Amino acid sequence: MRRLLLVGAAVVATMGGCATTGPAPTAGPASPFNPTDVAWLQLVVPMTENALSAARLAPSRAASPAVRKAADSVSGAQEGLLVRLKAARDRAGLPAADVHSGHRMPGMVTAADLVALRTGSGAEFDQRLIALLRAHAAQLVVLAKGEQTSGADAETKRLAGEVGAEGAQQEKELANAA
């Protein structure tokens, strides 16, 4: 008995730092989301928000009507997708916080990119905007394929297919605007 108490005391001492003060978690239904689904949603939502912010600058800053038209097309498509992406994120129980804030990743329009766009205009703005939106569209296609291949949630995988198709369409439209 004494040995059992000593072992118990050792376990409590070692695990003390891992204890929580809140209520013990309850077992619920297994989540249909796997780590790929979660990572995809946590990345694609802020990517889309930032690309949308960039595209919305075109009406007042772009020199070329073709760039304004392409950015308008991107904005319209991204707004609809963003609503659905946020709904999927909410369904997964993920926080709205951008876990990738400050990260420089392929296809991510950063805060610094947005500042540069806001201070630019004319041909310089057009070139920068198209380059950022093309990188975003190309990365959406890559990320969508990854989600479709490795994701678990069927609804999120279907959404990824639509996001990838939209990214491919945007790549074509933006190539024509360049």
Side-chain angles (χ1 to χ4, degrees), residues 39-158:
W40 184 76
L41 289 166
Q42 287 180 322
L43 180 57
V44 175
V45 170
M47 279 182 65
T48 303
E49 289 172 331
N50 292 1
L52 186 54
S53 294
R56 286 178 176 156
L57 296 171
S60 64
R61 300 219 168 263
S64 164
V67 170
R68 285 193 297 274
K69 181 179 177 185
D72 185 55
S73 176
V74 167
S75 291
Q78 293 294 303
E79 286 171 355
L81 287 175
L82 186 56
V83 168
R84 296 178 61 215
L85 287 164
K86 286 180 175 181
R89 180 194 62 200
D90 294 346
R91 193 170 54 82
L94 300 172
D98 178 3
V99 299
H100 296 288
S101 180
H103 298 172
R104 183 72 182 158
M105 296 177 276
M108 179 69 84
V109 176
T110 65
D113 293 327
L114 289 170
V115 167
L117 286 170
R118 286 184 186 113
T119 59
S121 62
E124 175 192 334
F125 173 89
D126 291 0
Q127 183 179 15
R128 185 179 302 234
L129 177 66
I130 293 298
L132 288 168
L133 294 179
R134 285 178 80 178
H136 169 73
Q139 191 63 13
L140 284 181
V141 172
V142 170
L143 294 171
K145 287 178 184 172
E147 167 60 21
Q148 289 179 298
T149 301
S150 301
D153 180 61
E155 189 175 329
T156 303
K157 289 171 73 168
R158 277 191 299 279

Side-chain angles (χ1 to χ4, degrees), residues 21-43:
T21 57
T26 57
S31 171
F33 296 92
N34 71 7
T36 299
D37 299 317
V38 169
W40 184 76
L41 289 166
Q42 287 180 322
L43 180 57

